[in-house]
Amino acid sequence: MAAAESRPLRYFVAVAEERNFTRAARRLGIAGPALSRAIRNLEADIGARLFERSTRVVELTESGTVLLAQARPALEALDAAVRRAVRASEPHRSVLLAVKADADGGLLQDTLSAVAAEPGAEPVAVRLCGWKEHTGLLRTGEADVALMFEPYDPQGIDADMVATEPRVAALPADHALAGAPRLRLADLDIDPEDIDERAERDIDKQGVQDLAQLLALVALGKAITVLPRSVAARYPRPAVVYAPIEDCPPATLVIAWPEHSRSRGVATLVRAATTVAQQRGMSPPS
């Protein structure tokens, strides 16, 4: 029922994104006239025009712009609810934990062991993901919980701080500052307000796909970046030097879950991660 009732909105979003009825119909796998009728019926139900149509272009009206902004998260939430409901019916359920490889603060294995030691705890399955994919997986129901570094998109997400740790600069081994015992952000021409997004921005700017490729550019003298110390420790490179930065704010690791989640498995995993961090002395001051 939910799929049938959401169909007009899905049709609307497809036309809004494609700005063309023919392309939208092809994307949806339906006939053009059927799509046009569905949009006209939706406009009649709402009582407002959603598109300005011409022979060459389809543009959103003000009402259409408002509806698009609301329809996307609504459909995303519906799809996520369906995914979670399907998984809840599976005989062998597990809690899906999203994490980027080597970006778990070094806590992943001990956290999984702590959960496994809990009587009656649901098993945890790890879903490896890339930079900034964690919260998208939470919102779409493709993950139940995520272990990740700030910053992140907080829309529809709750989170607890798990740990903080120092950050280091990744420099070419022959860089003039590579032998310095300690650096300052000004030495690297880094703005303290941009530090949280430095590595992600460097990856985007250099056109690389992951951290390993970015560090290859550092080794070649084409980039300098800043990383959490635990991440740097997992990526030793002969041509890369990691140097402490004395005035750099620490990296913050959080564990996050979808807003309004009531999963006991998620609660167990959150508790395990924070406990492991406390035992290691990595938790931030209370």
Side-chain angles (χ1 to χ4, degrees):
M1 184 190 306
E5 292 174 352
S6 67
R7 189 172 297 134
L9 278 182
R10 297 183 191 279
Y11 288 178
F12 161 73
V13 169
V15 176
E17 291 178 345
E18 297 291 343
R19 293 294 200 274
N20 182 283
F21 275 80
T22 300
R23 288 196 300 269
R26 189 179 304 120
R27 165 176 155 181
L28 294 165
I30 64 173
L35 177 58
S36 296
R37 284 195 302 273
I39 296 299
R40 286 197 300 271
N41 290 339
L42 179 60
E43 290 176 321
D45 290 341
I46 292 174
R49 289 181 61 83
L50 301 174
F51 297 104
E52 295 293 349
R53 304 164 176 81
S54 71
T55 55
R56 293 190 176 183
V57 68
V58 174
E59 295 291 347
L60 285 165
T61 64
E62 185 173 350
S63 296
T65 300
V66 171
L67 181 60
L68 181 61
Q70 300 294 320
R72 280 172 169 154
L75 291 172
E76 188 176 73
L78 177 60
D79 291 341
V82 170
R83 289 190 186 98
R84 293 188 184 105
V86 169
R87 288 182 46 229
S89 68
E90 294 174 350
H92 303 292
R93 291 185 296 177
S94 61
V95 179
L96 287 181
L97 170 63
V99 63
K100 185 184 182 303
D102 298 331
D104 55 25
L107 302 177
L108 180 59
Q109 292 302 325
D110 285 352
T111 297
L112 296 178
S113 297
V115 172
E118 288 273 350
E122 292 182 40
V124 178
V126 174
R127 166 72 183 266
L128 294 178
C129 61
W131 290 108
K132 293 189 174 182
E133 291 181 354
H134 308 74
T135 53
L137 295 173
L138 293 177
R139 281 191 287 271
T140 59
E142 296 173 80
D144 300 307
V145 64
L147 194 61
M148 59 190 177
F149 284 101
E150 291 184 345
Y152 61 92
D153 179 0
Q155 181 182 352
I157 302 298
D158 285 333
D160 279 351
M161 190 181 299
V162 173
T164 59
E165 62 172 293
R167 283 185 263 217
V168 298
L171 305 167
D174 59 357
H175 193 278
L177 296 173
R182 192 168 290 271
L183 303 173
R184 296 185 65 83
L185 290 172
D187 298 330
L188 305 170
D189 195 26
I190 295 176
D191 186 337
E193 295 183 357
D194 292 339
I195 194 68
D196 276 333
E197 298 182 356
R198 177 77 186 203
E200 288 88 342
R201 188 173 64 252
D202 288 343
I203 286 174
D204 292 340
K205 184 173 71 173
Q206 296 291 343
V208 298
Q209 300 299 314
D210 55 30
L211 182 58
Q213 292 181 4
L214 178 60
L215 289 175
L217 291 178
V218 172
L220 293 171
K222 295 184 177 181
I224 291 174
T225 195
V226 177
L227 302 171
R229 186 171 61 187
S230 64
V231 175
R234 299 189 184 207
Y235 284 87
R237 297 288 188 276
V240 175
V241 170
Y242 296 112
I245 312 171
E246 65 180 15
D247 61 342
C248 186
T252 300
L253 187 73
V254 302
I255 189 160
W257 59 92
E259 200 173 44
H260 310 307
S261 172
R262 296 294 181 268
S263 166
R264 285 181 294 178
V266 167
T268 300
L269 185 51
V270 170
R271 185 170 61 251
T274 54
T275 299
V276 168
Q278 290 169 357
Q279 291 171 344
R280 292 194 183 184
M282 295 175 64
S283 296
S286 56

